[in-house]
Amino acid sequence: MDAFIDRLDPDMCVVTATADGDRAGCLVGFASQCSIRPVRYAVWLSKANRTYRVARTADRLAVHLLTREQHALAELFGGETGDRTDKFARVPWRTEAGGAVVLEEAAAWFVGTVLSRTDGGDHVGFVLEPLAWGEREDADGPLLRLSGATSISPGHPVD
């Protein structure tokens, strides 16, 4: 499969989850639109990640796109674990759509209601129905892609 997978260069995004008074967020490389009508989007969270543990009981998730220039934000959410670091103490954020955490520096974002969860192996897919969205007007430029994030060492354990 390497001949196929190594050619992919997906957009990276940060997913945030809030449940039972806890919040978490992580950098995600497995995400895409999965339906046109109705619009649906799927994000895949690693079972090793604290964000997954919070998202298991979350009603909503927020998905954030980053530009290449936002590598430091990607590093915070991809290279640190919420088990040891309060990532949200380091960035401006606000609540939207029923308490979902939205990162104010994101180029674009949406909050989606979790419609289903699917076990895919070491990741679980969350199918989301968008209910609120927005963008930062001054966040132009190409999106951060996997090829621009390979220098980030995962904050959670990797087998």
Side-chain angles (χ1 to χ4, degrees):
M1 279 299 292
D2 288 347
F4 182 89
I5 292 172
D6 288 350
R7 293 173 187 258
L8 301 176
D9 196 16
D11 298 329
M12 302 298 290
C13 57
V14 171
V15 174
T16 58
T18 306
D20 303 320
D22 201 4
R23 63 180 179 254
C26 65
L27 187 65
V28 171
F30 301 152
S32 77
Q33 185 174 347
C34 59
S35 176
I36 297 170
R37 286 189 193 93
V39 174
R40 299 288 186 260
Y41 199 84
V43 295
W44 294 83
L45 302 179
S46 169
K47 292 178 183 178
N49 196 307
R50 182 173 180 278
T51 304
Y52 164 70
R53 294 192 305 273
V54 174
R56 286 185 303 194
T57 58
D59 295 331
R60 296 174 182 88
L61 300 178
V63 181
H64 308 79
L65 291 176
L66 308 178
T67 65
R68 284 186 203 157
E69 289 74 35
Q70 295 177 300
H71 196 271
L73 189 58
E75 222 170 275
L76 173 63
F77 280 89
E80 299 284 338
T81 175
D83 292 319
R84 294 188 297 267
T85 303
D86 181 0
K87 301 174 194 181
F88 299 96
R90 298 184 185 180
V91 296
W93 59 275
R94 67 181 184 279
T95 57
E96 290 277 350
V101 173
V102 170
L103 304 176
E104 292 185 359
E105 295 177 355
W109 59 271
F110 81 90
V111 173
T113 302
V114 177
L115 297 179
S116 65
R117 295 166 176 88
T118 302
D119 192 314
D122 60 0
H123 283 65
V124 171
F126 293 75
V127 176
L128 307 174
E129 176 181 27
L131 59 107
W133 49 86
E135 65 181 331
R136 216 178 83 222
E137 295 294 328
D138 62 342
D140 290 334
L143 295 176
L144 178 66
R145 298 176 83 66
L146 177 61
S147 59
T150 56
S151 64
I152 301 171
S153 297
H156 65 77
V158 177
D159 293 332

